[in-house]
Amino acid sequence: MNRNAPGPEFWSLLHPHTGDVTDFRPTPRGFSSDVAALIECEKGRFFVKAVRNRPGGRRDSIIRERLINPAACPISPTLKWHSEDDTWHVLGFDWVDGRGSDFAPGSPDLPAIVDTLNRIGEVDLPEMARDWLETRWNRFATDDADASLLQGEALLYTDINPSNLIIGDQNTWAVDWSWPTRGAAFIDPACLVVQLISAGHSAERAESWASGCAAWTDADPKAIDAFAAATLRMHRAFAERKPDASWLRAIAEAARSWASYRGVTV
């Protein structure tokens, strides 16, 4: 097995669900996890993600991902088992064969990406998510009135990026449901717009792809403007906090380009 694999106590925790593990391959996804890996074992193949079982946001996030999975399937790979002890909290998902999606202009993946967002938008808000209010953009909104435009009754995924939308031969999946929330339905397509601009699309073309999402076409333009302004402030703050992170600067620049296209002054 890989020399970077966790210690024996980790595998003892998993053993009832996996049997003996024969292969362990860390993945490039899962930056918010202590372990993110594909494993082969006596009982099959799984994608495993785990965090240290300590109070805080990462533990809260993996619990939220476990709870939302029945509602998110089959858009998300199925959670087959979970296990925890005093040290670890672990989720074991179906291993799906696919690759990260391509957001670039002209990519053949773009229709499947939009379709996946529409599938997410059709998921009814499960009862347990009613208290998961989307508040991440609130402090970056111009005022309380603008923040209120971001509230709603939709189940939001929000973690939209090429590595999280997986393209297979017969299906597309949204993985890493680390922080699903309840908010305005247009927020997921709006997050896609920023990602598309960062991938090389013009703001106009990015919005034309978002217009394939029912949640976008149904949205109040004033609410989208409020979100664009808050998004620019958010990503500027993130980029200033980590000036050496070029990807944060790129997202902030994409948000600036989008706000400018919409005539939003920040």
Side-chain angles (χ1 to χ4, degrees):
M1 289 218 303
N2 188 295
R3 64 184 178 84
N4 294 318
E9 75 288 347
F10 180 85
W11 300 112
S12 295
L13 178 63
L14 269 59
H15 196 269
H17 306 287
T18 64
D20 291 342
V21 173
T22 56
D23 190 33
F24 170 87
R25 281 177 273 166
T27 71
R29 301 195 307 270
F31 297 112
S32 63
S33 304
D34 293 303
V35 176
L38 298 168
I39 67 168
E40 296 192 46
C41 58
E42 282 187 285
K43 297 188 179 182
R45 303 191 303 173
F46 302 102
F47 172 68
V48 171
K49 65 185 301 185
V51 300
R52 298 285 179 176
N53 201 356
R54 300 167 181 155
R58 297 215 295 177
R59 181 180 183 276
D60 293 345
S61 175
I62 206 168
I63 290 173
R64 191 173 286 203
E65 184 167 5
R66 171 171 61 84
L67 293 174
I68 202 63
N69 187 258
C73 288
I75 306 165
S76 166
T78 302
L79 178 66
K80 305 300 289 187
W81 48 265
H82 71 276
S83 191
E84 66 177 303
D85 61 13
D86 290 343
T87 304
W88 291 100
H89 197 115
V90 190
L91 306 181
F93 294 90
D94 266 340
W95 176 328
V96 297
D97 289 318
R99 56 171 175 79
S101 51
D102 181 359
F103 280 28
S107 166
D109 296 345
L110 294 169
I113 291 166
V114 172
D115 178 67
T116 302
L117 263 65
N118 275 321
R119 290 164 62 204
I120 293 171
E122 292 168 358
V123 176
D124 291 334
L125 183 74
E127 191 60 35
M128 102 281 288
R130 292 204 164 272
D131 293 335
W132 298 349
L133 299 181
E134 180 52 73
T135 60
R136 284 169 289 185
W137 283 268
N138 286 11
R139 67 189 178 94
F140 299 101
T142 301
D143 50 35
D144 289 345
D146 275 5
S148 71
L149 296 173
L150 311 183
Q151 305 309 305
E153 295 298 316
L155 175 66
L156 300 179
Y157 168 58
T158 71
D159 201 1
I160 297 163
N161 62 69
S163 66
N164 277 352
L165 298 183
I166 304 299
I167 307 290
D169 290 339
Q170 303 295 327
N171 203 353
T172 303
W173 298 271
V175 303
D176 198 11
W177 287 70
S178 295
W179 205 252
T181 55
R182 173 168 72 86
F186 75 85
I187 288 178
D188 275 342
C191 290
L192 175 65
V193 168
V194 177
Q195 288 286 329
L196 291 178
I197 296 171
S198 182
H201 294 255
S202 68
E204 180 180 17
R205 189 61 182 155
E207 286 202 357
S208 75
W209 280 108
S211 70
C213 298
W216 178 270
T217 57
D218 292 342
D220 180 349
K222 291 181 179 178
I224 298 176
D225 287 347
F227 182 81
T231 293
L232 176 52
R233 294 188 187 99
M234 171 189 281
H235 289 300
R236 276 181 175 171
F238 291 167
E240 289 169 1
R241 193 178 305 160
K242 296 183 178 180
D244 295 332
S246 59
W247 70 272
L248 288 175
R249 294 197 304 273
I251 292 293
E253 176 56 26
R256 185 208 60 76
S257 178
W258 182 37
S260 176
Y261 169 74
R262 293 193 65 86
V264 173
T265 301
V266 176

